[in-house]
Amino acid sequence: MTNEKAARFRALHTTPPLLLPNCWDAASAAVIASAGAPAIATTSAGVAWSLGRPDGDALDRDAAAAAVERVVRAVDLPVTADIESGFGRTPKGVRKTLAAVASAGAVGVNIEDSDTETPGVLRPLTDQAERLAAAREGAGADLFINARIDIYLAGIGEPETRLAAAIERAATYTEAGADGIFVPGVTDSETIAALVNAISLPLNILAGPGAPAPSALAKLGVARISLGSGVASAAYAAARRATIAFIESDSYVGVEDGLDYGTMQGLLQ
């Protein structure tokens, strides 16, 4: 079951690229699945918000794994989990997190290299390599480990140094056992093409307004395109617009196009 889903998920990282929407709870996962997604990712920000916490390792391992389990139960698709920096201070802690997430039914994870205790700083290469190696031990051979490089997202270093630094990190993470490389924060085609050419593993790009269209990213050789917290943010914006229309504009316009009660009930039966 999980092995079949894991194999299916790996096979999606080819051509055309995997278009991977991000959910934040069981209901959003069911809606995304019903819209035709081939696989689903969680967004750490969306999951944290839905549980009343900010993004950035504010959840603990048990809460994060429980959220993944609820998503997995809601859909019959491969699910990959955003586990932030691994919910563990040490490689041993990361290994425990991976074992918990795999037990919850996820077939993939994202692990970022930002040091959450020191905002704007990346973990040293050797430290992150140890954490990824521990993640592989905890996950087993089947689970897809997507190693996230936050150089561009966090604006680390001078702009002209970032490409070489990202490529260096990608090579180290590949050696440590990663299956894919995720470089959020990059939107210009020239840099994306250079990353594709220099990195041996499937490249994941975070997309949305301002990024090249999925079809353009496909032509550049990107293997996986995700929306991060974008879908959750859009849903919360819709809730805000509906509330403002109701309170301030004497209108129900904000809830006119919602999914009906019967549809939602059916998705979660």
Side-chain angles (χ1 to χ4, degrees):
M1 309 285 273
T2 299
N3 287 346
E4 180 274 326
K5 286 183 181 177
R8 199 186 341 157
F9 186 64
R10 283 182 181 277
L12 291 169
H13 292 76
T14 52
T15 303
L18 169 58
L19 302 184
L20 192 62
N22 300 76
C23 73
W24 57 97
D25 60 11
S28 60
V31 169
I32 288 169
S34 73
I40 292 178
T42 66
T43 159
S44 66
V47 170
W49 297 338
S50 75
L51 297 174
R53 304 300 297 274
D55 191 23
D57 277 353
L59 298 182
D60 61 23
R61 178 184 300 116
D62 291 343
V68 172
E69 187 174 16
R70 289 191 293 272
V71 168
V72 169
R73 283 204 311 264
V75 297
D76 189 28
L77 292 176
V79 173
T80 182
D82 182 346
I83 60 167
E84 304 191 39
S85 65
F87 299 110
R89 290 177 178 271
T90 65
K92 182 179 179 181
V94 175
R95 184 165 60 246
K96 288 177 65 175
T97 298
L98 265 291
V101 170
S103 179
V107 299
V109 293
N110 283 356
I111 304 179
E112 63 196 54
D113 58 3
S114 287
D115 184 344
T116 51
E117 295 181 8
T118 312
V121 173
L122 303 189
R123 295 182 187 277
L125 262 177
T126 52
D127 290 359
Q128 187 65 8
E130 288 178 9
R131 293 170 72 84
L132 289 170
R136 173 54 68 204
E137 290 174 13
D142 292 332
L143 189 141
F144 191 104
I145 295 177
N146 203 33
R148 192 176 108 176
I149 298 171
D150 281 352
I151 286 172
Y152 287 93
L153 188 66
I156 303 293
E158 295 301 318
E160 62 272 16
T161 68
R162 291 172 189 162
L163 177 61
I167 291 169
E168 180 187 17
R169 283 188 172 258
T172 299
Y173 300 167
T174 301
E175 281 284 318
D179 299 293
I181 299 294
F182 182 21
V183 188
V186 180
T187 57
D188 69 281
S189 296
E190 185 177 344
T191 301
I192 293 170
L195 290 167
V196 168
N197 290 332
I199 294 171
S200 61
L201 296 178
L203 179 66
N204 182 187
I205 290 296
L206 179 65
S215 58
L217 290 172
K219 290 177 181 175
L220 294 172
V222 173
R224 171 167 157 176
I225 305 166
S226 50
L227 294 173
S229 60
V231 180
S233 294
Y236 291 128
R240 187 174 187 275
R241 286 194 299 271
T243 302
I244 291 172
F246 181 45
I247 294 173
E248 298 182 4
S249 302
D250 193 33
S251 169
Y252 307 121
V253 65
V255 295
E256 286 178 346
D257 298 321
L259 289 175
D260 65 83
Y261 179 85
T263 296
M264 290 302 304
Q265 285 287 93
L267 289 177
L268 294 167
Q269 290 295 336

